[in-house]
Amino acid sequence: MDDWQNVIRKRDFPMIARGNCRGKSTVYLDNAATTQCPRPVLWAMEDYWSLRHANVHRGVYCLSARATEALEETRQLTADFLRVSRDEIVFTSGATDSANMLAEAFALGELKRGDLVLATEMEHNSNLLPWLEACRRTGAVLELVKIREDGELDMEDLYRRLEKKPRLLAVTAVSNVLGTVNPLSQIVSSAHSAGAAVAVDAAQAMRCDLPELKSPDCDFLFFSGHKLMGPTGIGVLYAKAEWIDRLPPVRYGGGMLRELRIPEPEYESGVGKFEAGTLNLSGIAGLGAALEYLQVVGRRRIAAYERELLRHAEERLSSIDGLRILGAPKRRSGVLSFLLPPLQAYDAAVLLDKKGFALRSGRHCADALHARLGISGSVRLSPAFYNTGEELDRFGDALEQIAALSRTVGAGKHG
Ligand code: PLP
């Protein structure tokens, strides 16, 4: 374990350092689902609730002004994190909410019957179903770009479909099952040449320190705070300035109205038009603290360490007899999914839980991907920078024991 990692583990992540749940040993390896909040994030939220709680924008009094400043500070921090303008950052309740808002706005303002929208076979349902529904509502058509056996996006298939001049391509930066890091620059420039806008799901990508996500070329990008050491219930939708101007609001209410004219009200022009009602202010405080925390620990250091952890895990798991790792992409980040036949994924996860390892089984909300691979589920390992190589070694040993046991039972059944 590196020194910095030892320090942050003990100081900032009590649940990880304690390593047990109801007295039972637990190594948390489900970070693709959600990450733990470090203490500074918890403090920021406590500070907000105990000393700063007031509604924003609407008050002339000091507390309200201060709450508004705090909100705008987090907007600036988020913009700095992505190296974009603060006028392009909309707060939502999470990646799913961001994608739904975007698809609704697209359906309302952009799509018409016969238009084509592309998503990919590796999308999380959150970047697929909103587009499917937008298409159903408008009479547009949704097609899925294929993936290859190795878990890479099939670029030839993408180029072929781009020839049909789609209006938008919805694509994930990193697959939440295969860990594939998609070649975003190439994808975005090809889509733009074909006249398509690009919506990037960065939910799994924000800790990877990808160069493509700094001053991104895409039109839209979204993520959730809780996969980035922040709290649940807060997310971000980045939209390029021209789209902020062009897209219509899809939520209506307080804070987004400029002038009430019936029947044609005038709405705010900037990001405010997408932020109707009271935002999750403590979540925004937590998100701001999480972004600062990642900067202080070091985004590059975190990404490099997590890459090394995953490489270590892949090497260890590859040596287990009968274990099949899904995909072999050139660049893998964050997650590694596998099958351990004859065990079902669910059973493998239950046995791993009994041995003290918390990780997820199922389709991971990537139904199109599992259908494409012809499997009903997988087990997903997703370490974060507070995990250690030693934990992954123990995990590998536990898997080996489970694999051996299932072979014995399988042989007994057939013998
Ligand atoms: N997109 C991807 C790639 C994800 O992994 C997830 C969550 O697992 C989401 C979107 C949805 O995130 P949330 O549930 O925070 O809205």
Side-chain angles (χ1 to χ4, degrees):
M1 201 185 316
D2 291 353
D3 274 355
W4 67 272
Q5 210 246 348
N6 201 5
V7 169
I8 59 134
R9 200 172 140 99
K10 290 213 177 101
R11 189 192 57 194
D12 299 337
F13 296 97
M15 199 279 265
I16 297 289
R18 191 173 301 143
N20 75 60
C21 171
R22 295 187 181 145
K24 193 178 97 177
S25 153
T26 294
V27 177
Y28 185 74
L29 294 169
D30 193 19
N31 294 284
T34 195
T35 51
Q36 302 298 320
C37 290
R39 284 197 203 273
V41 170
L42 307 179
W43 290 331
M45 288 192 289
E46 195 201 332
D47 185 65
Y48 169 79
W49 282 117
S50 50
L51 297 172
R52 295 167 185 272
H53 179 51
N55 213 333
V56 293
H57 298 315
R58 291 162 205 153
V60 291
Y61 54 94
C62 173
L63 266 177
S64 176
R66 196 166 67 169
T68 307
E69 277 160 28
L71 162 75
E72 294 307 328
E73 266 167 34
T74 299
R75 202 188 300 279
Q76 186 65 56
L77 277 171
T78 311
D80 293 346
F81 206 82
L82 291 170
R83 298 197 194 153
V84 298
S85 159
R86 51 183 283 150
D87 301 328
E88 299 174 310
I89 298 294
V90 178
F91 289 118
T92 65
S93 72
T96 304
D97 189 36
S98 301
N100 274 279
M101 270 179 62
L102 180 57
E104 278 172 46
F106 234 74
L108 192 61
E110 298 289 322
L111 293 179
K112 56 183 189 324
R113 181 164 295 283
D115 279 350
L116 176 63
V117 173
L118 297 180
T120 84
E121 285 181 336
M122 69 170 84
E123 293 317 299
H124 187 282
N125 292 340
S126 291
N127 199 26
L128 197 159
L129 296 180
W131 298 110
L132 181 58
E133 288 301 330
C135 289
R136 272 160 47 109
R137 221 170 303 144
T138 55
V141 176
L142 180 76
E143 286 184 8
L144 298 188
V145 179
K146 292 193 185 323
I147 61 162
R148 299 189 325 214
E149 278 306 310
D150 59 3
E152 296 280 356
L153 198 63
D154 184 337
M155 295 300 282
E156 295 309 316
D157 189 55
L158 172 66
Y159 298 145
R160 265 193 304 278
R161 289 177 201 272
L162 285 176
E163 281 168 18
K164 294 191 258 180
K165 303 284 175 209
R167 297 293 313 279
L168 178 133
L169 166 67
V171 63
T172 191
V174 173
S175 157
N176 71 317
V177 177
L178 305 169
T180 310
V181 179
N182 279 320
L184 269 190
S185 305
Q186 208 178 328
I187 291 172
V188 173
S189 73
S190 311
H192 281 169
S193 304
V198 183
V200 172
D201 177 349
Q204 293 295 343
M206 296 303 291
R207 289 201 321 276
C208 311
D209 203 35
L210 298 177
E212 298 97 311
L213 297 188
K214 291 175 188 158
S215 312
D217 286 338
C218 57
D219 303 79
F220 311 101
L221 179 149
F222 54 84
F223 62 91
S224 297
H226 71 97
K227 294 182 199 285
L228 198 58
M229 280 61 211
T232 52
I234 183 69
V236 168
L237 170 62
Y238 155 77
K240 269 205 164 33
E242 62 253 40
W243 285 108
I244 294 280
D245 289 344
R246 180 166 154 177
L247 289 180
V250 287
R251 310 266 158 85
Y252 311 95
M256 48 81 72
L257 179 70
R258 183 170 289 161
E259 196 184 333
L260 180 59
R261 284 198 242 103
I262 295 176
E264 285 190 18
E266 190 187 341
Y267 296 128
E268 287 291 347
S269 55
V271 291
K273 76 174 164 188
F274 299 108
E275 293 178 343
T278 300
L279 293 169
N280 175 0
L281 301 173
S282 66
I284 289 171
L287 174 66
L291 297 176
E292 276 179 329
Y293 181 84
L294 294 173
Q295 291 288 14
V296 169
V297 177
R299 289 171 70 184
R300 197 176 297 167
R301 175 154 78 171
I302 288 171
Y305 181 82
E306 290 192 349
R307 265 198 309 278
E308 180 51 28
L309 271 186
L310 206 66
R311 196 202 53 72
H312 185 83
E314 189 164 0
E315 200 175 288
R316 180 71 185 88
L317 266 56
S318 305
S319 71
I320 297 175
D321 227 11
L323 186 145
R324 179 183 148 209
I325 293 176
L326 298 184
K330 279 195 291 293
R331 286 198 296 170
R332 196 192 304 264
S333 180
V335 299
L336 192 67
S337 297
F338 60 88
L339 305 175
L340 196 58
L343 278 181
Q344 294 295 322
Y346 173 84
D347 296 332
V350 169
L351 292 172
L352 283 165
D353 174 55
K354 289 198 188 311
K355 288 185 177 289
F357 297 94
L359 64 170
R360 187 162 296 253
S361 63
R363 289 195 286 273
H364 318 294
C365 301
D367 288 63
L369 177 73
H370 282 79
R372 160 71 179 83
L373 299 177
I375 54 177
S376 58
S378 55
V379 188
R380 182 177 73 180
L381 167 70
S382 53
F385 60 89
Y386 39 58
N387 292 118
T388 66
E390 186 268 331
E391 286 173 339
L392 291 176
D393 288 339
R394 279 197 281 131
F395 173 70
D397 295 346
L399 260 181
E400 202 138 62
Q401 288 162 11
I402 291 170
L405 183 74
S406 76
R407 276 196 301 275
T408 319
V409 174
K413 264 191 197 154
H414 296 111

